[in-house]
Amino acid sequence: ESDGEAEEYLFKVVIIGDSAVGKTNLLSRYARSEFNLHSKATIGVEFQTQSMDIDGKEVKAQIWDTAGQERFRAVTSAYYRGAFGALLVYDISRRSTFDSVGRWLLELNTHSDTTVAKMLVGNKCDLDNIREVPVEEGKALAEAEGLFFMETSALDATNVKTAFDIVIREIYSNV
Ligand code: GDP
Ligand code: MG
């Protein structure tokens, strides 16, 4: 920009859901497709920043991944603090992870003091042959709770970019 007065947007987005639903792989799949096709996601990184162009403006999303605390139901309030978007992830091949979504949503709502753009994500849709959660159930829950909904596969990349992009665009349209 010529005058150095360009607006900047930086939004925090959190990924939550039960252990092993694919949160870390969703983020590395998304980040890899934007940055470096040949590098692996570093384990233990708190967040990764992705940039996208919306209406000619640079919008950055700081996407947070848990470091495995969810295994002990010990995701801290610092993790949620300041989040404007959230991906609530379950695994379509494990019913118990879908049953946990309500608890994650409650925890998210308890910790947030702003409007949060929320996407319910049914991950591992490549495992359709051992599916335990019908797509209609995911859709119905999302509708009932006012969430966006998408089935994804971090394995084959189905809808991964779309899911993150929808959340980031929704945040942008909210501000
Ligand atoms: P997290 O604990 O939620 O961060 O889950 P991870 O990203 O560590 O993934 C847990 C396991 O599920 C790993 O073995 C992954 O390889 C596998 N996984 C993650 N996403 C997918 C997916 O979309 N499809 C399949 N088939 N496996 C996946
Ligand atoms: Mg993880």
Side-chain angles (χ1 to χ4, degrees):
E1 304 292 322
S2 54
D3 57 3
E5 294 291 322
E7 284 179 277
E8 283 190 3
Y9 297 91
L10 177 63
F11 303 131
K12 178 175 173 179
V13 175
V14 293
I15 311 178
I16 53 178
D18 280 359
S19 191
V21 294
K23 299 180 298 298
T24 297
N25 275 276
L26 283 167
L27 180 53
S28 63
R29 167 64 73 186
Y30 181 58
R32 219 177 300 159
S33 75
E34 294 261 346
F35 280 138
N36 191 335
L37 288 168
H38 304 291
S39 75
K40 297 222 171 206
T42 308
I43 292 168
V45 166
E46 280 189 314
F47 59 80
Q48 299 195 35
T49 304
Q50 290 287 305
S51 295
M52 63 187 284
D53 190 281
I54 305 177
D55 300 340
K57 298 192 174 74
E58 189 185 22
V59 176
K60 290 180 182 171
Q62 190 185 71
I63 305 163
W64 287 60
D65 183 23
T66 65
Q69 313 96 300
E70 74 276 18
R71 209 169 309 153
F72 314 103
R73 301 201 165 180
V75 175
T76 62
S77 51
Y79 185 76
Y80 294 100
R81 193 170 301 130
F84 280 81
L87 282 81
L88 293 111
V89 186
Y90 66 95
D91 173 349
I92 66 139
S93 73
R94 278 192 298 143
R95 160 75 53 183
S96 65
T97 67
F98 182 70
D99 295 339
S100 295
V101 168
R103 184 178 62 80
W104 286 110
L105 189 57
L106 190 64
E107 185 159 307
L108 175 67
N109 290 339
T110 302
H111 286 92
S112 47
D113 45 12
T114 55
T115 303
V116 179
K118 301 170 197 120
M119 166 83 70
L120 179 63
V121 176
N123 190 41
K124 308 198 188 181
C125 67
D126 57 282
L127 298 179
D128 196 49
N129 57 325
I130 55 165
R131 173 188 289 275
E132 290 184 356
V133 185
V135 66
E136 293 74 21
E137 271 191 69
K139 264 185 206 160
L141 177 62
E143 257 179 49
E145 300 290 347
L147 319 169
F148 291 100
F149 174 68
M150 195 139 282
E151 284 199 350
T152 62
S153 168
L155 181 77
D156 67 20
T158 301
N159 286 339
V160 175
K161 179 168 163 47
T162 308
F164 282 99
D165 286 359
I166 287 174
V167 170
I168 296 162
R169 284 178 181 281
E170 176 67 11
I171 298 169
Y172 177 80
S173 75
N174 283 345
V175 296

